[in-house]
Amino acid sequence: MPVKLQTKDKVDPVTLEIIQGKLLSVVDEMAVVMQRTSMSPVIYEVLDFACGVCNEKMELVVQTNGITLFTGTFSTQLRSVVETYKDDMKPGDIYVTNDPYHGGTHACDFAIIRPIFQGSRLVAYALNVAHWVDVGGAVPGSLPPDATSSFQEGLRLSRIRLARGDVINDEIVRIIRENTRLPDIAMGDLNAQIATVRIAETRIGEMLERYGANLLTASFGAIIEGSALRSRATIRQLADGVYRAEDVIDGDGVTSGPIHVQVRITIEGDQVEVDFTGCPPAVAGPINCGAGALQSAVKSVFKAMVAPQEPSNEGWFQPLTIKAPNGTIFTAEKPSPTGWYYEGSVQASELVWKALASHMPERFSAGSYSSLCVIYLSGRSATGEEFIHIEPTHGGWGASEDEDGANALISLTDGDTYNYSIELLEAKFPVRVRRYDFNVEGGVGGGRFRGGFGVVRDYEILADKTMLTGSFGRSETPPWGAAGGRDGSVNRFEVIEAGTGKVTSYGRLSERTLMKGDVVRIITGGGGGWGDPALRARDAIDRDLRNELITLDDARSIYGYEGH
């Protein structure tokens, strides 16, 4: 028999705690199903996906850990679908969308949405967003770094009903299969996503039987409102003020010139406004991001400010207002390319981070390597099997006011994602990993507390005619130091030719054909330092020397070290 709601507006706090715990277990189970049933290593190994539940008002109620940048896109993508179908949603429906101009990120990120009903009453929505390794387009992996139009970036299924009455539309499936280079993997990942939203429906159905729709929907509202109250309380404790930051994006994949961006943050009472007015129009290359991705980029940093350890839901963001004119590099519109949107959106995140670092040094660090530093390797193995390998790379984060920066940590936008294990890489793809190490040669930003170290990773190519593409930000402009700390070091990737040993360095590369024996070297930068390097503790310098993270010459030139 369902638990009864005892008052019109409030939920018993014990019951609320139980329901929230159950909801968290639902999305965690969705994540386990996704990881165990998907076919792409970028999903089951890197964890490039996220799962969540929204209420009937299309507000995020609960979400798994995963891609940080998906935090703010669930509601925007869901609203675009609901606005399209309005009152025509029914039990057994499944929807798909991957449209960056209607709340999404880029064409490779497919959102699967299932409305959940009790009888004819719509109660909630289950969502899964995951990165597909290929959706067609100009190059394998669907992310040409020199794209000048979204039509070069593969298939877009903008707000499409995939299933009615739990019967998958075969025509949509055929469209998908005919527009991807790896159709079996694509269908495997799609089926995994569908399984996650179905398990969410089952588990929420069990909760409906136990608690009833009224109590469950009231609990959704209470969870969101509780987070909103706590968010406002945190903001009220901050000093009112206006905080600004400027930064540079190093080229867009089509042109190499610097792109200047800026932000203005106003904290007043219990409200925060983040204003990107003054940023340039959408650029020719694919580092633009749409408005949905911008929302998510800002929300990620805002969440770090108000409640970094708490589960995410829409309530935390109620005090936040984001302003940006349409058609900018951060609010791109069709047909501006957005394939490498995370390179643009991470710059938006970093701008907000930079503006707040001096205001909240206990919460924000100096600048990090920022870019996801993604490469694609594609071609055919010795057996003739087509492969596409995509991998983000870890790097160095900035120092904080009381601690050295983190070494080899994933970029701000990617949250809980991982790098590939070497064993999996060598088993799945025709590559051999020759080196995986800290980027000691590039160094970090010195300071009272130094930045964290980036990494060096060498891939020996084992198949002729392997294609390499890549796009690294911060290849010219290093991570910024804070409070007198020095700037960090930059990102790049290199090709070392077999036989000749010739080395060619890149920041963004549209395409290069590799031969067997060539080496691709990924190099990620070190974070910025915090505080005057002359104030660094002697034992910290000694420790870095023992660990061979710095040379004696570096210790003397950066820190004024007088030891032997």
Side-chain angles (χ1 to χ4, degrees), residues 338-374:
T338 61
W340 295 78
Y341 81 97
Y342 39 79
E343 292 298 315
S345 59
V346 76
Q347 290 285 344
S349 298
E350 186 85 357
L351 274 173
V352 178
W353 192 282
K354 185 177 183 179
L356 294 172
S358 60
H359 178 54
M360 298 185 68
E362 73 282 0
R363 189 61 57 86
F364 295 102
S365 65
S368 75
Y369 83 116
S370 300
S371 172
L372 273 178
C373 296
V374 173

PDB file of all heavy atoms in Angstrom, residues 338-374:
ATOM      1  N   THR A 338      30.572  22.429 -34.413  1.00  0.00           N
ATOM      2  CA  THR A 338      30.719  22.289 -32.958  1.00  0.00           C
ATOM      3  C   THR A 338      31.353  20.957 -32.563  1.00  0.00           C
ATOM      4  O   THR A 338      31.269  20.552 -31.405  1.00  0.00           O
ATOM      5  CB  THR A 338      29.350  22.399 -32.268  1.00  0.00           C
ATOM      6  OG1 THR A 338      28.503  21.350 -32.742  1.00  0.00           O
ATOM      7  CG2 THR A 338      28.688  23.738 -32.528  1.00  0.00           C
ATOM      8  N   GLY A 339      31.979  20.265 -33.520  1.00  0.00           N
ATOM      9  CA  GLY A 339      32.495  18.931 -33.221  1.00  0.00           C
ATOM     10  C   GLY A 339      33.438  18.884 -32.041  1.00  0.00           C
ATOM     11  O   GLY A 339      33.366  17.982 -31.203  1.00  0.00           O
ATOM     12  N   TRP A 340      34.330  19.854 -31.954  1.00  0.00           N
ATOM     13  CA  TRP A 340      35.285  19.918 -30.844  1.00  0.00           C
ATOM     14  C   TRP A 340      34.794  20.930 -29.800  1.00  0.00           C
ATOM     15  O   TRP A 340      35.578  21.696 -29.234  1.00  0.00           O
ATOM     16  CB  TRP A 340      36.671  20.295 -31.372  1.00  0.00           C
ATOM     17  CG  TRP A 340      37.236  19.253 -32.280  1.00  0.00           C
ATOM     18  CD1 TRP A 340      36.910  19.049 -33.598  1.00  0.00           C
ATOM     19  CD2 TRP A 340      38.192  18.245 -31.957  1.00  0.00           C
ATOM     20  NE1 TRP A 340      37.615  17.990 -34.103  1.00  0.00           N
ATOM     21  CE2 TRP A 340      38.412  17.474 -33.122  1.00  0.00           C
ATOM     22  CE3 TRP A 340      38.890  17.925 -30.785  1.00  0.00           C
ATOM     23  CZ2 TRP A 340      39.295  16.392 -33.153  1.00  0.00           C
ATOM     24  CZ3 TRP A 340      39.776  16.850 -30.816  1.00  0.00           C
ATOM     25  CH2 TRP A 340      39.974  16.098 -31.988  1.00  0.00           C
ATOM     26  N   TYR A 341      33.502  20.891 -29.534  1.00  0.00           N
ATOM     27  CA  TYR A 341      32.864  21.859 -28.639  1.00  0.00           C
ATOM     28  C   TYR A 341      33.521  21.922 -27.273  1.00  0.00           C
ATOM     29  O   TYR A 341      33.502  22.954 -26.594  1.00  0.00           O
ATOM     30  CB  TYR A 341      31.373  21.508 -28.451  1.00  0.00           C
ATOM     31  CG  TYR A 341      31.157  20.415 -27.445  1.00  0.00           C
ATOM     32  CD1 TYR A 341      30.832  20.716 -26.122  1.00  0.00           C
ATOM     33  CD2 TYR A 341      31.336  19.079 -27.779  1.00  0.00           C
ATOM     34  CE1 TYR A 341      30.682  19.717 -25.190  1.00  0.00           C
ATOM     35  CE2 TYR A 341      31.181  18.083 -26.857  1.00  0.00           C
ATOM     36  CZ  TYR A 341      30.857  18.394 -25.551  1.00  0.00           C
ATOM     37  OH  TYR A 341      30.717  17.402 -24.620  1.00  0.00           O
ATOM     38  N   TYR A 342      34.070  20.788 -26.824  1.00  0.00           N
ATOM     39  CA  TYR A 342      34.660  20.777 -25.476  1.00  0.00           C
ATOM     40  C   TYR A 342      35.894  21.656 -25.390  1.00  0.00           C
ATOM     41  O   TYR A 342      36.290  22.062 -24.292  1.00  0.00           O
ATOM     42  CB  TYR A 342      34.977  19.338 -25.027  1.00  0.00           C
ATOM     43  CG  TYR A 342      35.524  18.429 -26.098  1.00  0.00           C
ATOM     44  CD1 TYR A 342      36.850  18.483 -26.488  1.00  0.00           C
ATOM     45  CD2 TYR A 342      34.699  17.500 -26.725  1.00  0.00           C
ATOM     46  CE1 TYR A 342      37.348  17.651 -27.465  1.00  0.00           C
ATOM     47  CE2 TYR A 342      35.188  16.654 -27.710  1.00  0.00           C
ATOM     48  CZ  TYR A 342      36.504  16.730 -28.072  1.00  0.00           C
ATOM     49  OH  TYR A 342      36.992  15.905 -29.054  1.00  0.00           O
ATOM     50  N   GLU A 343      36.517  21.971 -26.529  1.00  0.00           N
ATOM     51  CA  GLU A 343      37.632  22.911 -26.505  1.00  0.00           C
ATOM     52  C   GLU A 343      37.144  24.335 -26.257  1.00  0.00           C
ATOM     53  O   GLU A 343      37.814  25.136 -25.620  1.00  0.00           O
ATOM     54  CB  GLU A 343      38.417  22.829 -27.811  1.00  0.00           C
ATOM     55  CG  GLU A 343      39.166  21.521 -27.997  1.00  0.00           C
ATOM     56  CD  GLU A 343      40.211  21.297 -26.927  1.00  0.00           C
ATOM     57  OE1 GLU A 343      40.953  22.240 -26.613  1.00  0.00           O
ATOM     58  OE2 GLU A 343      40.280  20.178 -26.388  1.00  0.00           O
ATOM     59  N   GLY A 344      35.963  24.667 -26.780  1.00  0.00           N
ATOM     60  CA  GLY A 344      35.383  25.976 -26.495  1.00  0.00           C
ATOM     61  C   GLY A 344      34.763  26.040 -25.115  1.00  0.00           C
ATOM     62  O   GLY A 344      34.966  26.999 -24.356  1.00  0.00           O
ATOM     63  N   SER A 345      34.010  24.997 -24.760  1.00  0.00           N
ATOM     64  CA  SER A 345      33.305  25.035 -23.483  1.00  0.00           C
ATOM     65  C   SER A 345      34.260  25.005 -22.298  1.00  0.00           C
ATOM     66  O   SER A 345      33.991  25.627 -21.263  1.00  0.00           O
ATOM     67  CB  SER A 345      32.308  23.871 -23.391  1.00  0.00           C
ATOM     68  OG  SER A 345      32.969  22.634 -23.506  1.00  0.00           O
ATOM     69  N   VAL A 346      35.393  24.305 -22.439  1.00  0.00           N
ATOM     70  CA  VAL A 346      36.341  24.302 -21.318  1.00  0.00           C
ATOM     71  C   VAL A 346      36.951  25.678 -21.131  1.00  0.00           C
ATOM     72  O   VAL A 346      37.307  26.067 -20.002  1.00  0.00           O
ATOM     73  CB  VAL A 346      37.433  23.234 -21.507  1.00  0.00           C
ATOM     74  CG1 VAL A 346      38.484  23.657 -22.524  1.00  0.00           C
ATOM     75  CG2 VAL A 346      38.115  22.920 -20.169  1.00  0.00           C
ATOM     76  N   GLN A 347      37.061  26.464 -22.213  1.00  0.00           N
ATOM     77  CA  GLN A 347      37.548  27.827 -22.060  1.00  0.00           C
ATOM     78  C   GLN A 347      36.536  28.680 -21.303  1.00  0.00           C
ATOM     79  O   GLN A 347      36.912  29.553 -20.518  1.00  0.00           O
ATOM     80  CB  GLN A 347      37.837  28.439 -23.436  1.00  0.00           C
ATOM     81  CG  GLN A 347      39.041  27.841 -24.136  1.00  0.00           C
ATOM     82  CD  GLN A 347      40.361  28.314 -23.558  1.00  0.00           C
ATOM     83  OE1 GLN A 347      40.425  29.292 -22.828  1.00  0.00           O
ATOM     84  NE2 GLN A 347      41.438  27.614 -23.886  1.00  0.00           N
ATOM     85  N   ALA A 348      35.241  28.415 -21.525  1.00  0.00           N
ATOM     86  CA  ALA A 348      34.221  29.117 -20.746  1.00  0.00           C
ATOM     87  C   ALA A 348      34.324  28.737 -19.275  1.00  0.00           C
ATOM     88  O   ALA A 348      34.261  29.599 -18.385  1.00  0.00           O
ATOM     89  CB  ALA A 348      32.834  28.789 -21.293  1.00  0.00           C
ATOM     90  N   SER A 349      34.485  27.449 -18.997  1.00  0.00           N
ATOM     91  CA  SER A 349      34.664  26.999 -17.606  1.00  0.00           C
ATOM     92  C   SER A 349      35.889  27.639 -16.977  1.00  0.00           C
ATOM     93  O   SER A 349      35.859  28.120 -15.835  1.00  0.00           O
ATOM     94  CB  SER A 349      34.804  25.470 -17.554  1.00  0.00           C
ATOM     95  OG  SER A 349      33.661  24.818 -18.019  1.00  0.00           O
ATOM     96  N   GLU A 350      36.981  27.646 -17.745  1.00  0.00           N
ATOM     97  CA  GLU A 350      38.241  28.178 -17.219  1.00  0.00           C
ATOM     98  C   GLU A 350      38.147  29.678 -16.953  1.00  0.00           C
ATOM     99  O   GLU A 350      38.743  30.190 -15.991  1.00  0.00           O
ATOM    100  CB  GLU A 350      39.363  27.879 -18.208  1.00  0.00           C
ATOM    101  CG  GLU A 350      40.749  28.256 -17.737  1.00  0.00           C
ATOM    102  CD  GLU A 350      41.417  27.180 -16.894  1.00  0.00           C
ATOM    103  OE1 GLU A 350      40.785  26.149 -16.610  1.00  0.00           O
ATOM    104  OE2 GLU A 350      42.578  27.392 -16.503  1.00  0.00           O
ATOM    105  N   LEU A 351      37.397  30.401 -17.791  1.00  0.00           N
ATOM    106  CA  LEU A 351      37.200  31.830 -17.559  1.00  0.00           C
ATOM    107  C   LEU A 351      36.521  32.075 -16.219  1.00  0.00           C
ATOM    108  O   LEU A 351      36.938  32.941 -15.440  1.00  0.00           O
ATOM    109  CB  LEU A 351      36.347  32.431 -18.677  1.00  0.00           C
ATOM    110  CG  LEU A 351      37.036  32.899 -19.951  1.00  0.00           C
ATOM    111  CD1 LEU A 351      35.995  33.289 -20.987  1.00  0.00           C
ATOM    112  CD2 LEU A 351      37.965  34.077 -19.666  1.00  0.00           C
ATOM    113  N   VAL A 352      35.451  31.328 -15.965  1.00  0.00           N
ATOM    114  CA  VAL A 352      34.735  31.480 -14.698  1.00  0.00           C
ATOM    115  C   VAL A 352      35.645  31.096 -13.539  1.00  0.00           C
ATOM    116  O   VAL A 352      35.701  31.772 -12.501  1.00  0.00           O
ATOM    117  CB  VAL A 352      33.449  30.634 -14.706  1.00  0.00           C
ATOM    118  CG1 VAL A 352      32.724  30.753 -13.370  1.00  0.00           C
ATOM    119  CG2 VAL A 352      32.526  31.074 -15.839  1.00  0.00           C
ATOM    120  N   TRP A 353      36.366  30.004 -13.705  1.00  0.00           N
ATOM    121  CA  TRP A 353      37.316  29.542 -12.680  1.00  0.00           C
ATOM    122  C   TRP A 353      38.344  30.635 -12.379  1.00  0.00           C
ATOM    123  O   TRP A 353      38.624  30.944 -11.218  1.00  0.00           O
ATOM    124  CB  TRP A 353      37.997  28.283 -13.195  1.00  0.00           C
ATOM    125  CG  TRP A 353      38.788  27.491 -12.211  1.00  0.00           C
ATOM    126  CD1 TRP A 353      40.037  27.781 -11.746  1.00  0.00           C
ATOM    127  CD2 TRP A 353      38.396  26.270 -11.569  1.00  0.00           C
ATOM    128  NE1 TRP A 353      40.456  26.823 -10.863  1.00  0.00           N
ATOM    129  CE2 TRP A 353      39.470  25.876 -10.744  1.00  0.00           C
ATOM    130  CE3 TRP A 353      37.261  25.476 -11.630  1.00  0.00           C
ATOM    131  CZ2 TRP A 353      39.425  24.709  -9.983  1.00  0.00           C
ATOM    132  CZ3 TRP A 353      37.224  24.315 -10.872  1.00  0.00           C
ATOM    133  CH2 TRP A 353      38.291  23.946 -10.055  1.00  0.00           C
ATOM    134  N   LYS A 354      38.894  31.223 -13.442  1.00  0.00           N
ATOM    135  CA  LYS A 354      39.925  32.246 -13.273  1.00  0.00           C
ATOM    136  C   LYS A 354      39.384  33.484 -12.574  1.00  0.00           C
ATOM    137  O   LYS A 354      40.046  34.069 -11.705  1.00  0.00           O
ATOM    138  CB  LYS A 354      40.483  32.617 -14.644  1.00  0.00           C
ATOM    139  CG  LYS A 354      41.655  33.582 -14.629  1.00  0.00           C
ATOM    140  CD  LYS A 354      42.175  33.818 -16.046  1.00  0.00           C
ATOM    141  CE  LYS A 354      43.402  34.720 -16.050  1.00  0.00           C
ATOM    142  NZ  LYS A 354      43.903  34.921 -17.439  1.00  0.00           N
ATOM    143  N   ALA A 355      38.165  33.889 -12.932  1.00  0.00           N
ATOM    144  CA  ALA A 355      37.572  35.071 -12.317  1.00  0.00           C
ATOM    145  C   ALA A 355      37.335  34.867 -10.824  1.00  0.00           C
ATOM    146  O   ALA A 355      37.430  35.813 -10.029  1.00  0.00           O
ATOM    147  CB  ALA A 355      36.259  35.413 -13.013  1.00  0.00           C
ATOM    148  N   LEU A 356      37.026  33.644 -10.415  1.00  0.00           N
ATOM    149  CA  LEU A 356      36.684  33.376  -9.021  1.00  0.00           C
ATOM    150  C   LEU A 356      37.887  32.968  -8.170  1.00  0.00           C
ATOM    151  O   LEU A 356      37.803  32.963  -6.947  1.00  0.00           O
ATOM    152  CB  LEU A 356      35.621  32.278  -8.946  1.00  0.00           C
ATOM    153  CG  LEU A 356      34.243  32.641  -9.526  1.00  0.00           C
ATOM    154  CD1 LEU A 356      33.349  31.414  -9.557  1.00  0.00           C
ATOM    155  CD2 LEU A 356      33.600  33.762  -8.719  1.00  0.00           C
ATOM    156  N   ALA A 357      39.008  32.607  -8.808  1.00  0.00           N
ATOM    157  CA  ALA A 357      40.142  32.065  -8.053  1.00  0.00           C
ATOM    158  C   ALA A 357      40.660  33.036  -7.002  1.00  0.00           C
ATOM    159  O   ALA A 357      40.942  32.645  -5.861  1.00  0.00           O
ATOM    160  CB  ALA A 357      41.261  31.669  -9.017  1.00  0.00           C
ATOM    161  N   SER A 358      40.789  34.305  -7.361  1.00  0.00           N
ATOM    162  CA  SER A 358      41.302  35.267  -6.385  1.00  0.00           C
ATOM    163  C   SER A 358      40.264  35.571  -5.310  1.00  0.00           C
ATOM    164  O   SER A 358      40.614  35.970  -4.187  1.00  0.00           O
ATOM    165  CB  SER A 358      41.706  36.563  -7.101  1.00  0.00           C
ATOM    166  OG  SER A 358      40.580  37.139  -7.759  1.00  0.00           O
ATOM    167  N   HIS A 359      38.988  35.390  -5.634  1.00  0.00           N
ATOM    168  CA  HIS A 359      37.909  35.664  -4.685  1.00  0.00           C
ATOM    169  C   HIS A 359      37.706  34.502  -3.714  1.00  0.00           C
ATOM    170  O   HIS A 359      37.371  34.711  -2.544  1.00  0.00           O
ATOM    171  CB  HIS A 359      36.623  35.928  -5.468  1.00  0.00           C
ATOM    172  CG  HIS A 359      35.422  36.168  -4.602  1.00  0.00           C
ATOM    173  ND1 HIS A 359      35.401  37.131  -3.612  1.00  0.00           N
ATOM    174  CD2 HIS A 359      34.209  35.576  -4.577  1.00  0.00           C
ATOM    175  CE1 HIS A 359      34.213  37.115  -3.017  1.00  0.00           C
ATOM    176  NE2 HIS A 359      33.482  36.174  -3.574  1.00  0.00           N
ATOM    177  N   MET A 360      37.907  33.278  -4.186  1.00  0.00           N
ATOM    178  CA  MET A 360      37.692  32.087  -3.362  1.00  0.00           C
ATOM    179  C   MET A 360      38.898  31.158  -3.467  1.00  0.00           C
ATOM    180  O   MET A 360      38.810  30.044  -4.003  1.00  0.00           O
ATOM    181  CB  MET A 360      36.419  31.350  -3.796  1.00  0.00           C
ATOM    182  CG  MET A 360      35.149  32.145  -3.647  1.00  0.00           C
ATOM    183  SD  MET A 360      33.684  31.160  -4.055  1.00  0.00           S
ATOM    184  CE  MET A 360      33.691  29.978  -2.694  1.00  0.00           C
ATOM    185  N   PRO A 361      40.060  31.577  -2.982  1.00  0.00           N
ATOM    186  CA  PRO A 361      41.254  30.741  -3.115  1.00  0.00           C
ATOM    187  C   PRO A 361      41.154  29.414  -2.378  1.00  0.00           C
ATOM    188  O   PRO A 361      41.884  28.478  -2.701  1.00  0.00           O
ATOM    189  CB  PRO A 361      42.364  31.630  -2.526  1.00  0.00           C
ATOM    190  CG  PRO A 361      41.650  32.589  -1.626  1.00  0.00           C
ATOM    191  CD  PRO A 361      40.339  32.848  -2.279  1.00  0.00           C
ATOM    192  N   GLU A 362      40.249  29.332  -1.407  1.00  0.00           N
ATOM    193  CA  GLU A 362      40.088  28.066  -0.697  1.00  0.00           C
ATOM    194  C   GLU A 362      39.342  27.029  -1.536  1.00  0.00           C
ATOM    195  O   GLU A 362      39.317  25.840  -1.210  1.00  0.00           O
ATOM    196  CB  GLU A 362      39.333  28.287   0.623  1.00  0.00           C
ATOM    197  CG  GLU A 362      37.834  28.566   0.488  1.00  0.00           C
ATOM    198  CD  GLU A 362      37.502  29.987   0.065  1.00  0.00           C
ATOM    199  OE1 GLU A 362      38.444  30.792  -0.127  1.00  0.00           O
ATOM    200  OE2 GLU A 362      36.300  30.301  -0.064  1.00  0.00           O
ATOM    201  N   ARG A 363      38.740  27.457  -2.660  1.00  0.00           N
ATOM    202  CA  ARG A 363      37.942  26.560  -3.479  1.00  0.00           C
ATOM    203  C   ARG A 363      38.516  26.392  -4.889  1.00  0.00           C
ATOM    204  O   ARG A 363      38.343  25.354  -5.501  1.00  0.00           O
ATOM    205  CB  ARG A 363      36.508  27.090  -3.553  1.00  0.00           C
ATOM    206  CG  ARG A 363      35.494  26.164  -4.191  1.00  0.00           C
ATOM    207  CD  ARG A 363      35.351  24.855  -3.431  1.00  0.00           C
ATOM    208  NE  ARG A 363      34.989  25.022  -2.052  1.00  0.00           N
ATOM    209  CZ  ARG A 363      33.742  25.154  -1.593  1.00  0.00           C
ATOM    210  NH1 ARG A 363      32.740  25.167  -2.433  1.00  0.00           N
ATOM    211  NH2 ARG A 363      33.515  25.275  -0.302  1.00  0.00           N
ATOM    212  N   PHE A 364      39.214  27.414  -5.425  1.00  0.00           N
ATOM    213  CA  PHE A 364      39.679  27.383  -6.806  1.00  0.00           C
ATOM    214  C   PHE A 364      41.196  27.493  -6.876  1.00  0.00           C
ATOM    215  O   PHE A 364      41.817  28.186  -6.083  1.00  0.00           O
ATOM    216  CB  PHE A 364      39.047  28.516  -7.613  1.00  0.00           C
ATOM    217  CG  PHE A 364      37.557  28.381  -7.760  1.00  0.00           C
ATOM    218  CD1 PHE A 364      36.697  29.146  -6.982  1.00  0.00           C
ATOM    219  CD2 PHE A 364      37.026  27.479  -8.653  1.00  0.00           C
ATOM    220  CE1 PHE A 364      35.324  29.023  -7.108  1.00  0.00           C
ATOM    221  CE2 PHE A 364      35.653  27.342  -8.786  1.00  0.00           C
ATOM    222  CZ  PHE A 364      34.793  28.113  -8.014  1.00  0.00           C
ATOM    223  N   SER A 365      41.753  26.807  -7.863  1.00  0.00           N
ATOM    224  CA  SER A 365      43.203  26.758  -8.042  1.00  0.00           C
ATOM    225  C   SER A 365      43.654  27.730  -9.125  1.00  0.00           C
ATOM    226  O   SER A 365      42.843  28.423  -9.737  1.00  0.00           O
ATOM    227  CB  SER A 365      43.601  25.338  -8.444  1.00  0.00           C
ATOM    228  OG  SER A 365      43.052  25.031  -9.720  1.00  0.00           O
ATOM    229  N   ALA A 366      44.967  27.740  -9.377  1.00  0.00           N
ATOM    230  CA  ALA A 366      45.505  28.429 -10.543  1.00  0.00           C
ATOM    231  C   ALA A 366      45.111  27.654 -11.797  1.00  0.00           C
ATOM    232  O   ALA A 366      44.441  26.619 -11.738  1.00  0.00           O
ATOM    233  CB  ALA A 366      47.016  28.552 -10.416  1.00  0.00           C
ATOM    234  N   GLY A 367      45.544  28.145 -12.963  1.00  0.00           N
ATOM    235  CA  GLY A 367      45.123  27.561 -14.223  1.00  0.00           C
ATOM    236  C   GLY A 367      45.647  26.156 -14.456  1.00  0.00           C
ATOM    237  O   GLY A 367      46.741  25.798 -14.017  1.00  0.00           O
ATOM    238  N   SER A 368      44.859  25.368 -15.180  1.00  0.00           N
ATOM    239  CA  SER A 368      45.238  23.995 -15.498  1.00  0.00           C
ATOM    240  C   SER A 368      45.488  23.845 -16.993  1.00  0.00           C
ATOM    241  O   SER A 368      45.293  24.779 -17.770  1.00  0.00           O
ATOM    242  CB  SER A 368      44.145  23.027 -15.049  1.00  0.00           C
ATOM    243  OG  SER A 368      43.040  23.082 -15.936  1.00  0.00           O
ATOM    244  N   TYR A 369      45.871  22.649 -17.385  1.00  0.00           N
ATOM    245  CA  TYR A 369      46.138  22.376 -18.797  1.00  0.00           C
ATOM    246  C   TYR A 369      44.881  22.489 -19.654  1.00  0.00           C
ATOM    247  O   TYR A 369      44.947  22.630 -20.864  1.00  0.00           O
ATOM    248  CB  TYR A 369      46.787  21.002 -18.946  1.00  0.00           C
ATOM    249  CG  TYR A 369      45.828  19.828 -18.967  1.00  0.00           C
ATOM    250  CD1 TYR A 369      45.713  19.034 -20.098  1.00  0.00           C
ATOM    251  CD2 TYR A 369      45.044  19.493 -17.858  1.00  0.00           C
ATOM    252  CE1 TYR A 369      44.849  17.938 -20.143  1.00  0.00           C
ATOM    253  CE2 TYR A 369      44.194  18.414 -17.892  1.00  0.00           C
ATOM    254  CZ  TYR A 369      44.088  17.637 -19.040  1.00  0.00           C
ATOM    255  OH  TYR A 369      43.222  16.554 -19.065  1.00  0.00           O
ATOM    256  N   SER A 370      43.716  22.429 -19.050  1.00  0.00           N
ATOM    257  CA  SER A 370      42.410  22.761 -19.622  1.00  0.00           C
ATOM    258  C   SER A 370      41.941  21.833 -20.722  1.00  0.00           C
ATOM    259  O   SER A 370      40.910  21.182 -20.608  1.00  0.00           O
ATOM    260  CB  SER A 370      42.372  24.201 -20.145  1.00  0.00           C
ATOM    261  OG  SER A 370      42.626  25.129 -19.132  1.00  0.00           O
ATOM    262  N   SER A 371      42.641  21.817 -21.841  1.00  0.00           N
ATOM    263  CA  SER A 371      42.175  21.084 -23.013  1.00  0.00           C
ATOM    264  C   SER A 371      42.049  19.595 -22.722  1.00  0.00           C
ATOM    265  O   SER A 371      42.843  19.021 -21.966  1.00  0.00           O
ATOM    266  CB  SER A 371      43.156  21.287 -24.168  1.00  0.00           C
ATOM    267  OG  SER A 371      42.838  20.462 -25.268  1.00  0.00           O
ATOM    268  N   LEU A 372      41.049  18.958 -23.350  1.00  0.00           N
ATOM    269  CA  LEU A 372      40.942  17.500 -23.236  1.00  0.00           C
ATOM    270  C   LEU A 372      42.073  16.779 -23.958  1.00  0.00           C
ATOM    271  O   LEU A 372      42.312  15.603 -23.720  1.00  0.00           O
ATOM    272  CB  LEU A 372      39.600  17.019 -23.792  1.00  0.00           C
ATOM    273  CG  LEU A 372      38.431  17.016 -22.825  1.00  0.00           C
ATOM    274  CD1 LEU A 372      37.166  16.559 -23.529  1.00  0.00           C
ATOM    275  CD2 LEU A 372      38.711  16.111 -21.639  1.00  0.00           C
ATOM    276  N   CYS A 373      42.753  17.492 -24.858  1.00  0.00           N
ATOM    277  CA  CYS A 373      43.894  16.904 -25.568  1.00  0.00           C
ATOM    278  C   CYS A 373      43.529  15.561 -26.198  1.00  0.00           C
ATOM    279  O   CYS A 373      44.101  14.513 -25.884  1.00  0.00           O
ATOM    280  CB  CYS A 373      45.094  16.767 -24.630  1.00  0.00           C
ATOM    281  SG  CYS A 373      45.721  18.344 -24.032  1.00  0.00           S
ATOM    282  N   VAL A 374      42.560  15.613 -27.101  1.00  0.00           N
ATOM    283  CA  VAL A 374      42.022  14.416 -27.743  1.00  0.00           C
ATOM    284  C   VAL A 374      42.703  14.169 -29.079  1.00  0.00           C
ATOM    285  O   VAL A 374      42.871  15.085 -29.877  1.00  0.00           O
ATOM    286  CB  VAL A 374      40.499  14.557 -27.963  1.00  0.00           C
ATOM    287  CG1 VAL A 374      39.960  13.396 -28.791  1.00  0.00           C
ATOM    288  CG2 VAL A 374      39.782  14.639 -26.626  1.00  0.00           C
TER     289      VAL A 374
END
